[in-house]
Amino acid sequence: DDRLRIDRAVDAVYTKKMPSCFHETPLQSLLVWHRVDTVVLTGGSTSGCIRASAVDSLSRGYRTVVPIECVADKHESYHYANLTDLA
């Protein structure tokens, strides 16, 4: 997105190959290094990437927040079913 201003000196950018942001990325190490205790997830696939990342985040013991205003899915029923399941 051209509207994003990414400063590679301070912003961590990872390319993920699977739905979870934790799978085969250095994200866990970064969070531990910075003593992060809360993960806020946003994105465009509540039933896919958001759900996978939320499950992995919760499994690692992080307080995990999925703001309803910041996620979406291809169909409303998938979206709300997964938000309900993650609550």
Side-chain angles (χ1 to χ4, degrees), residues 2-64:
D2 293 333
R3 297 170 294 177
L4 296 176
R5 289 183 174 76
I6 298 171
D7 180 352
R8 294 200 182 263
V10 295
D11 296 325
V13 178
Y14 301 127
T15 301
K16 64 185 191 69
K17 297 177 180 158
M18 298 299 286
S20 174
C21 59
F22 289 93
H23 184 80
E24 294 183 1
T25 71
L27 179 59
Q28 173 73 14
S29 296
L30 179 75
L31 298 178
V32 169
W33 175 260
H34 289 286
R35 298 182 181 172
V36 170
D37 65 355
T38 302
V39 173
V40 179
L41 297 168
T42 65
S45 179
T46 310
S47 62
C49 298
I50 297 297
R51 181 185 178 89
S53 297
V55 168
D56 283 355
S57 178
L58 289 163
S59 297
R60 287 168 168 77
Y62 293 104
R63 177 176 176 258
T64 304

